[in-house]
Amino acid sequence: MQIKEDKEIDLFVASRIGSFKHIKYHTDPSKNSKKCIENLVDIKTLQKDDNITCMVWGSPEQTDILIGRKTQQIQVYNTLHGFTKSYTADFGSGDVVGLGRHGRRLVAAVSEGVVQVYGKKENVTYNVGKIDRMKIFDGDTTMFATGGEENDLKVYRIGEAEPLFVAKNLPHDWLQLRKSVWVSDLTFLSPSELAVCSRHGYIRLYDTRAQRRPVCNVECDKMAATCISKGFDERQVFVGFGRGQLHQVDLRRGHLDKGYKGAAGAITGVVISHGSVISCSLDRHLRVHRADTKELLYKQYLTSKLSCVLVQTASSTPMKDVQPEMKEELEMKEETALEDLESASEKPQKRSDGEQSQEIDAKKMKPSTEGSTVADDEDAIISLLRSTERQKKKRDKMKKNKKAKSVFHNA
């Protein structure tokens, strides 16, 4: 499917410092500018742990966005009316790693391995083990799948306690060593077919009707997969890796196909729409590639490390009042300063005892309001000469001691 000329595509991007932006991408390159970007969250109100870890559509009309933060806060954002509801995922510890809707009921998962289905009268909870990702099947919202480190793919149905499908690992290698399992992301290709990617460098296709072991396994040596998205058909997926690689994977032939270049950081999100591959990465750039020719159509720097991206296809969102360019530059500087403050708080600098004593002496020598505490010029020169002489004697003494301990001098 080729992109038509002069078409507008609405993109929603989240970052690791908690910022949330709306981008109006035009297929005509001359219309793309900073005026097509708007902040949906006030940057000044962000805190250290407001990292957005999960973001999905909350309605088939694509008017509601479910946002999960590191603080276990779940927010519902309406593309026309702004933030409408807020929940707290206090049913378990860890980050929010999965969100979805089952009718009017919210489904949320935390990394500890607890999935909860919110209800009017009571909430239903599933203990699935430690997970890195949980996703709901769009075609049948009663089904959801989970996976994580040493916790292989599982498929559940809401209302049933036992899982519908539990994946089985590949056989041992020729040394009879077990193969490690780490599901970093997953996606539904059909009601019975799922694809997963791993930080151990593999992409696997499962068919729940055929067998528990994967029907296709693609090995990628020394390439940790971070995210996966459904392709243009059921035998094609797009996978992002930790070193900036983005590949189309052909599950029929079982190998990496096309590669989309340009990223310098780990790919954190990838979606497919309008014949294009849209991705975000930790190098703070949003990129749009043409799927067939691999041409880079659009690249935008967004000042913060990006974590999620969504594309709106079922509807359209108008831009709000566009701010002046001077105000935009000020907000970009504030966002960069907030991220620098976060990195500085995570790595506090340790001061030596000498620096602390110098700071104390400087405080003691601070001039008073009644009179000056600085000595006369002659006294200052005499004290400087004495200190220099003492330092010289100390250095000479250290040289003599070092020479006395030398092996060649004693010989």
Side-chain angles (χ1 to χ4, degrees):
M1 179 180 178
Q2 298 292 334
I3 301 178
K4 298 179 181 179
E5 294 297 331
D6 299 333
K7 186 175 182 61
E8 295 182 355
I9 302 176
D10 292 290
L11 305 175
F12 294 89
V13 184
S15 73
R16 289 198 169 186
I17 66 170
S19 61
F20 180 45
K21 300 186 179 185
H22 172 217
I23 301 172
K24 184 77 72 171
Y25 163 64
H26 298 268
T27 55
D28 185 2
S30 61
K31 295 183 179 180
N32 292 316
S33 64
K34 292 183 178 179
K35 294 182 180 181
C36 299
I37 304 173
E38 61 178 353
N39 286 312
L40 304 178
V41 177
D42 188 5
I43 301 174
K44 298 179 181 179
T45 61
L46 297 177
Q47 302 296 326
K48 180 181 177 181
D49 294 331
D50 284 343
N51 177 8
I52 296 178
T53 58
C54 182
M55 186 173 67
V56 297
W57 290 111
S59 62
E61 300 80 13
Q62 294 186 349
T63 55
D64 290 338
I65 301 176
L66 303 178
I67 301 173
R69 297 183 181 272
K70 191 175 182 180
T71 56
Q72 293 190 338
Q73 185 182 12
I74 302 171
Q75 295 176 315
V76 181
Y77 179 83
N78 187 277
T79 56
L80 300 177
H81 306 290
F83 291 97
T84 57
K85 294 182 181 179
S86 180
Y87 304 87
T88 302
D90 54 358
F91 50 85
S93 61
D95 302 342
V96 179
V97 295
L99 293 170
R101 285 279 192 186
H102 171 50
R104 295 183 178 181
R105 304 167 69 183
L106 175 67
V107 183
V110 294
S111 59
E112 185 187 13
V114 183
V115 181
Q116 179 167 295
V117 182
Y118 289 80
K120 293 182 178 179
K121 296 181 179 180
E122 60 178 359
N123 301 328
V124 182
T125 303
Y126 297 86
N127 294 315
V128 298
K130 184 180 178 182
I131 57 176
D132 282 10
R133 187 64 62 196
M134 186 279 294
K135 284 189 177 179
I136 289 181
F137 180 41
D138 296 334
D140 184 3
T141 57
T142 60
M143 295 175 59
F144 66 89
T146 63
E149 185 178 4
E150 295 303 333
N151 185 12
D152 215 339
L153 175 68
K154 296 178 183 177
V155 181
Y156 289 82
R157 185 180 295 277
I158 296 176
E160 299 180 9
E162 298 298 325
L164 297 176
F165 175 79
V166 179
K168 189 176 181 180
N169 198 7
L170 292 176
H172 296 347
D173 60 9
W174 64 280
L175 289 174
Q176 294 302 311
L177 297 177
R178 176 185 175 275
K179 295 186 177 181
S180 302
V181 174
W182 190 343
V183 178
S184 58
D185 199 3
L186 57 94
T187 183
F188 280 91
L189 303 180
S190 69
S192 60
E193 293 179 330
L194 299 95
V196 303
C197 64
S198 172
R199 292 188 182 273
H200 292 308
Y202 62 77
I203 298 99
R204 293 176 181 175
L205 173 65
Y206 292 90
D207 189 347
T208 59
R209 300 168 300 180
Q211 61 185 23
R212 291 175 57 191
R213 280 179 172 158
V215 296
C216 178
N217 181 55
V218 182
E219 296 287 345
C220 307
D221 295 336
K222 299 180 181 180
M223 295 173 64
T226 56
C227 58
I228 188 171
S229 176
K230 180 180 178 181
F232 297 104
D233 55 43
E234 295 181 358
R235 289 295 180 270
Q236 185 185 85
V237 291
F238 289 83
V239 182
F241 295 90
R243 293 187 178 180
Q245 303 96 330
L246 177 60
H247 284 276
Q248 174 185 319
V249 182
D250 189 351
L251 298 176
R252 294 186 182 91
R253 301 179 180 179
H255 65 82
L256 301 181
D257 198 355
K258 298 177 182 177
Y260 301 88
K261 299 181 180 180
I267 305 295
T268 55
V270 55
V271 290
I272 311 301
S273 178
H274 299 89
S276 301
V277 183
I278 304 166
S279 63
C280 62
S281 62
L282 293 183
D283 62 0
R284 313 182 188 201
H285 280 85
L286 176 72
R287 294 178 175 85
V288 180
H289 290 85
R290 189 181 294 276
D292 51 359
T293 62
K294 302 183 293 184
E295 177 188 359
L296 181 62
L297 302 175
Y298 176 73
K299 182 175 76 170
Q300 181 61 50
Y301 179 73
L302 296 175
T303 72
S304 56
K305 297 179 180 178
L306 307 180
S307 59
C308 308
V309 59
L310 291 178
V311 58
Q312 191 175 29
T313 56
S315 58
S316 179
T317 302
M319 295 287 291
K320 297 180 181 179
D321 295 335
V322 181
Q323 301 174 351
E325 295 183 0
M326 294 295 292
K327 196 170 183 180
E328 289 181 359
E329 294 179 0
L330 182 61
E331 287 185 352
M332 292 173 63
K333 291 180 181 179
E334 289 176 353
E335 189 170 351
T336 308
L338 179 62
E339 193 168 17
D340 295 341
L341 182 62
E342 177 185 347
S343 60
S345 61
E346 291 177 355
K347 297 181 179 180
Q349 296 181 354
K350 295 183 178 179
R351 295 181 297 176
S352 61
D353 296 336
E355 292 177 352
Q356 293 179 358
S357 61
Q358 290 179 3
E359 185 176 355
I360 294 172
D361 294 337
K363 291 181 178 179
K364 290 182 179 179
M365 291 297 294
K366 187 176 179 180
S368 62
T369 56
E370 297 179 356
S372 176
T373 58
V374 183
D376 297 334
D377 295 341
E378 295 181 358
D379 296 338
I381 294 172
I382 293 173
S383 61
L384 179 62
L385 292 174
R386 288 178 180 175
S387 62
T388 306
E389 188 176 356
R390 285 196 300 268
Q391 291 179 2
K392 185 178 180 182
K393 289 181 180 180
K394 190 176 181 180
R395 286 197 299 268
D396 293 341
K397 187 176 180 180
M398 290 174 64
K399 287 181 180 179
K400 288 181 181 180
N401 294 335
K402 187 175 181 181
K403 190 175 181 180
K405 292 179 182 180
S406 175
V407 178
F408 299 101
H409 177 73
N410 295 332

